[in-house]
Amino acid sequence: MFQYFVMIPSLLEEKEVDKDVDKEKVKSMQVAKYNFNLGLQVGDDIELILHYGDECFSFGSKVVKILKVIENDKERLDDIFKIEAHVEISDKEDVIKVREILKGLNSSSRSGFHPMGFSS
């Protein structure tokens, strides 16, 4: 099985991430999922479009890391190959706006938050 995810750093926490902290420890949040390889590369600029309620918000971002994971699934006959494209929001003002949007939604559920992909 194959899965492709687009991830942003979790923006629900109030604390800003310390620049010296290892990036592997930063929690991420899935904003898109596909069953095919998008072919994104580190350094690619993309526009993410998030739909929440009756509104939508878009922001520029840059791919900062591609993570490939093979997960052994004992419940399935085949293993899972995952690719995660981790992106960083380009504009600080957009980071603040996305954080406010996410805070306004029920953090225990993704209902109301509908990522709708991106364009390169």
Side-chain angles (χ1 to χ4, degrees):
M1 173 182 234
F2 176 80
Q3 297 174 336
Y4 195 104
F5 300 94
V6 177
M7 313 287 286
I8 62 173
S10 177
L11 301 173
L12 294 174
E13 298 179 19
E14 288 296 320
K15 298 177 187 173
E16 289 297 320
V17 177
D18 184 349
K19 298 293 183 199
D20 295 330
V21 174
D22 183 356
K23 289 190 177 196
E24 297 296 321
K25 295 179 184 176
V26 175
K27 292 182 180 179
S28 295
M29 180 177 130
Q30 173 188 324
V31 293
K33 179 180 175 181
Y34 302 90
N35 62 1
F36 58 91
N37 189 341
L38 299 175
L40 293 174
Q41 300 293 318
V42 171
D44 285 352
D45 291 316
I46 61 174
E47 183 77 12
L48 283 163
I49 304 166
L50 306 180
H51 292 261
Y52 55 98
D54 293 335
E55 299 182 47
C56 100
F57 176 67
S58 67
F59 54 89
S61 58
K62 182 178 285 293
V63 178
V64 293
K65 176 174 72 172
I66 300 290
L67 180 63
K68 297 176 183 176
V69 178
I70 297 174
E71 182 178 323
N72 179 274
D73 189 341
K74 294 178 180 164
E75 301 296 317
R76 299 177 48 90
L77 295 176
D78 55 347
D79 294 332
I80 301 170
F81 178 60
K82 298 179 184 178
I83 297 177
E84 295 179 357
H86 291 257
V87 302
E88 187 174 85
I89 299 172
S90 302
D91 188 334
K92 290 258 188 213
E93 288 182 24
D94 287 341
V95 171
I96 294 166
K97 178 146 182 161
V98 171
R99 178 181 288 136
E100 291 304 313
I101 291 167
L102 295 174
K103 274 194 213 175
L105 300 173
N106 181 349
S107 62
S108 65
S109 168
R110 288 187 61 206
S111 62
F113 174 64
H114 305 285
M116 295 300 290
F118 59 90
S119 60
S120 52

